[in-house]
């Protein structure tokens, strides 16, 4: 399934923000920051990326339900997508 640009705008914005945050973590490491500080920030980046992934799955699911009805949802495929995010 392909989502419309307006459907993914918030997700793309979230992932771009996470990308910028990751660049900051890399910079921290290169500048000799404390490991604990870098790991804390890296955990935040990881969480932001995961939230972006879940938002993408949820948006796709909503589109399937709205356009094609509940029978259009492949439960096994959906489970696989969620497990890939875990």
């Amino acid at each position: 399934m392909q989502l419309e640009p307006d459907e993914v705008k918030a997700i793309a914005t979230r992932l771009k923000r996470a990308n910028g945050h990751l660049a900051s973590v890399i910079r921290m490491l290169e500048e000799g920051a404390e490991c604990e500080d870098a790991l804390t920030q890296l955990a935040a980046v990881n969480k932001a990326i995961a939230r972006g992934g879940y938002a993408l799955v949820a948006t796709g699911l909503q589109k399937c339900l709205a356009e094609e009805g509940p029978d259009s949802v492949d439960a096994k495929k959906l489970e696989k997508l969620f497990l890939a995010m875990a």
Side-chain angles (χ1 to χ4, degrees):
M1 161 195 322
Q2 197 167 23
L3 300 175
E4 298 298 320
D6 64 317
E7 293 174 312
V8 296
K9 185 175 182 177
I11 298 166
T13 299
R14 178 187 298 265
L15 293 174
K16 287 176 184 178
R17 196 174 314 125
N19 185 41
H21 197 164
L22 178 58
S24 295
V25 174
I26 293 169
R27 199 168 31 257
M28 286 174 68
L29 291 171
E30 291 173 342
E31 293 173 357
E34 292 289 326
C35 289
E36 184 178 348
D37 295 337
L39 284 171
T40 299
Q41 293 305 312
L42 190 57
V45 170
N46 190 35
K47 189 172 184 178
I49 292 170
R51 284 183 176 174
Y54 287 124
L56 183 59
V57 172
T59 302
L61 179 58
Q62 288 172 347
K63 184 172 183 169
C64 279
L65 291 173
E67 291 180 359
E68 301 171 28
D71 293 335
S72 69
V73 177
D74 182 342
K76 291 203 179 287
K77 187 174 185 179
L78 187 61
E79 179 183 10
K80 185 178 178 179
L81 289 171
F82 274 108
L83 290 176
M85 295 298 304

